[in-house]
Amino acid sequence: MILGIGSDLANIDRISATLERFGERFKNRVFTEVEQAKAERRRDVAGTYAKRWAAKEACSKALGTGLAMGISWKDMAVKNLRTGQPVMEVTGWAKERLDEMTPPGHEAIIHVTLTDDYPWAQAFVVIEARRIAA
């Protein structure tokens, strides 16, 4: 069963300008150390940050809260499996909200996909409740 869907479109130039203007302050406020390390290793640093920004926005929408109800940017983090597939991990208030949304006897699975085509970065998040096998 689908619990939530969210999408977001981010402008890579806008994220690049924010990185130039606020640098480490912006990175440390919004992105986890793992996300920062991933972005800084990439050729397209701003594009990588923009995709993760979009993923956080999309996840907050899928949680039904936006960023106005106490969710911290770092409560939502994009990591990559060895295959490169992105996965969303939630902690803190975002995890509490996810747990509230998840019906008894189910586990929540967060699906995320990222893409970019300069100057745009896009993310789509679907939160699925999957019945736990008895």
Side-chain angles (χ1 to χ4, degrees):
M1 128 187 20
I2 303 298
L3 297 179
I5 299 171
S7 68
D8 193 68
L9 187 64
N11 184 287
I12 296 169
D13 288 334
R14 184 174 143 247
I15 297 298
S16 180
T18 302
L19 288 165
E20 287 178 27
R21 183 170 179 200
F22 297 105
E24 296 301 313
R25 191 171 128 214
F26 171 66
K27 291 178 195 177
N28 292 332
R29 180 172 169 252
V30 176
F31 303 100
T32 66
E33 289 180 16
V34 171
E35 289 174 310
Q36 290 181 48
K38 175 76 171 183
E40 297 299 327
R41 287 192 307 266
R42 302 295 296 269
R43 185 170 37 95
D44 182 12
V45 172
T48 302
Y49 279 119
K51 285 185 280 191
R52 278 148 179 76
W53 171 278
K56 291 167 186 276
E57 287 276 7
C59 185
S60 72
K61 293 171 185 175
L63 289 167
T65 64
L67 287 160
M69 293 180 65
I71 293 177
S72 164
W73 287 103
K74 288 184 175 182
D75 285 349
M76 301 165 288
V78 177
K79 295 185 178 182
N80 293 86
L81 300 177
R82 288 180 161 238
T83 61
Q85 176 185 348
V87 293
M88 178 68 69
E89 291 187 356
V90 292
T91 59
W93 203 91
K95 174 72 169 121
E96 291 174 22
R97 172 66 180 148
L98 182 64
D99 291 344
E100 288 172 7
M101 295 171 61
T102 307
H106 290 74
E107 65 177 336
I109 311 294
I110 302 175
H111 304 276
V112 61
T113 186
L114 309 172
T115 191
D116 65 292
D117 187 6
Y118 183 83
W120 301 106
Q122 183 179 30
F124 191 75
V125 171
V126 175
I127 301 175
E128 171 192 8
R130 190 175 296 164
R131 185 172 298 283
I132 298 172

